[in-house]
Amino acid sequence: MNFYVYNTMSRKKEEFVPVNEGKVGIYTCGPTVYNYAHIGNLRTYIFEDILKKAFEYGHYKVKHVMNITDVGHLQSDADTGEDKMQIGAERENKTVWEIAKFYENAFFEDCHKLNIRKPDIVCKATDHIQDMIDIIKTLEKKGYTYTSKGNVYYEIDKFKDYNKLANLSMEELEAGARIDVDENKKNPLDFVLWFTNSKFKDQIMQWNSPWGKGFPGWHIECSAMSIKYLGDRIDIHCGGVDHIPVHHTNEIAESEAVLGHKWVNYWMHGEFLVLSDGKMSKSKGDFLTLSKIEKEGFSPMDYRYFCLQSRYRKQLMFSFDALRQAQLAYKKLKEKVADIVSNVKENERADKELVNKYKNKFQEKISDDLNIPNAFTVLFEVIKDNELTNKEKSLLIESFDTVFSLDLLKSNNHNLEKLDSEDIKRLICERNDARNHKDWHKADVIRDELKSMGIDIIDSKEGTKLKIRNS
Ligand code: AMP
Ligand code: ZN
């Protein structure tokens, strides 16, 4: 089945043609590990995870590479502001290395909770300094660089069609770069490949280079590592939309200048998660993390479900109300699935043709530039289809969940481990109270909450009994 993706470069949905038949190389820009990921960042990683699993559903062999930025990323993507790693180190009175390790681990813990599978190759910028130096040397040899006051700059006027990805005029692109003008630059859009003249006097992360002791600019790490691990023609490169005008534009300028040909075939960008009062940003300080929403009573799967209800190219407005609705819908879905699974009978029919018909329908939706909402419609059709046996439904749900990764078939009993008996006791007390006050609605809500944890409530004259479900 053909796969279609929206390519930012052409601004069109295109049929996907791989560089090597049956294989897909995907490079995704990873986190800058100076703080926790916010839930907006995580939306982008969920999109990339689904993309990879959708290709796998279509029997492609995927190689996914992601970088970890642990050096060189200044507050603004365009070489201005403070060094992000340094900010983290000062904030927490730790070394930059400690900060990088801590937040890399925290990032992967969040991913694990969200069923975001670890990429096949995770590469740290600080482990690839020599690769970056080699690329800068090639750029220098080819005449794309100049040195000014110790820093090595990329001269964007030497690169034809610098603005092709952003599709903005040079004036529009320049507007962003003019905020904090670097006098050393020939063109405000030129960017640093190697800093030796750092404004951060106590910069700890420094390496020897042909241009002096210093550290790399941010964009060069992605050029160096993606080419190293995926070769000089890459199928898909992803990131959030904020990367289009600066980071990815500069990556293209570097990589295509070095390689001398087109580098990435499809550019895919995830739209932002936004708050009703604007952009979600780490610099605002009090940003929303996965742990914060967990503390508010939501599970990572609730958040994943919430993200999957809208398409990756649409902005998604976050609110706790919207998340609560997603939580409820997810809970209902899991109950329906549990009901189906617990009613599978021995030796029930599992007709391959019927199952494949739905699998193909599902694949058609996800192959259409990841139309996940439509893929959910197929799931609900399966659940409702009276012609299907519970066995067939279970097989299909299991198959679809290799892409959704929502633990649809996983028993909820594991939640019990997280809950100590105090929590359960508290819920029962609250429910008894509600019943005594004839607040049937509240009593039902609590009963449903317990049910979603795999605990059934049985009311009898002797009081309330609990039954732990094993489905
Ligand atoms: P960073 O760690 O800031 O480099 O960002 C990690 C990833 O999250 C990048 O792909 C960004 O484009 C993406 N991103 C940043 N902010 C948001 C947001 N509010 N919503 C969705 N993705 C975002
Ligand atoms: Zn990148």
Side-chain angles (χ1 to χ4, degrees), residues 178-290:
R178 277 206 210 98
I179 298 159
D180 190 358
V181 180
D182 175 349
E183 299 294 329
N184 302 330
K185 292 183 182 180
K186 294 185 186 174
N187 180 322
L189 291 172
D190 291 348
F191 56 93
V192 179
L193 295 166
W194 189 266
F195 290 93
T196 63
N197 183 15
S198 164
K199 60 181 172 185
F200 317 112
K201 292 289 164 251
D202 307 321
Q203 185 80 27
I204 297 167
M205 290 178 163
Q206 295 209 49
W207 294 264
N208 289 322
S209 83
W211 313 279
K213 203 166 177 189
F215 62 98
W218 173 37
H219 320 294
I220 196 71
E221 69 179 79
C222 288
S223 293
M225 294 191 275
S226 61
I227 293 171
K228 176 167 182 158
Y229 294 110
L230 288 168
D232 60 6
R233 289 181 199 274
I234 295 174
D235 289 305
I236 300 177
H237 192 129
C238 300
V241 284
D242 56 324
H243 283 347
I244 299 171
V246 182
H247 184 49
H248 288 167
T249 287
N250 290 347
E251 281 186 37
I252 292 171
E254 293 164 347
S255 304
E256 296 197 352
V258 164
L259 298 169
H261 59 70
K262 183 177 170 185
W263 169 51
V264 168
N265 285 338
Y266 305 91
W267 286 92
M268 294 182 74
H269 292 97
E271 249 299 350
F272 264 27
L273 180 84
V274 291
L275 301 172
S276 54
D277 58 353
K279 213 181 124 185
M280 181 160 307
S281 154
K282 284 188 207 174
S283 57
K284 282 188 186 164
D286 192 27
F287 54 88
L288 278 173
T289 60
L290 188 62

Side-chain angles (χ1 to χ4, degrees), residues 86-97:
Q86 206 106 324
I87 291 173
E90 276 159 26
R91 184 185 62 227
E92 296 178 28
N93 210 9
K94 289 185 182 151
T95 68
V96 272
W97 298 100

Side-chain angles (χ1 to χ4, degrees), residues 82-115:
E82 298 298 311
D83 179 313
K84 288 189 173 181
M85 297 305 299
Q86 206 106 324
I87 291 173
E90 276 159 26
R91 184 185 62 227
E92 296 178 28
N93 210 9
K94 289 185 182 151
T95 68
V96 272
W97 298 100
E98 285 166 341
I99 288 291
K101 189 77 225 139
F102 179 84
Y103 286 110
E104 184 189 337
N105 289 342
F107 170 71
F108 283 116
E109 266 170 42
D110 282 353
C111 288
H112 179 71
K113 285 184 187 172
L114 286 163
N115 284 346

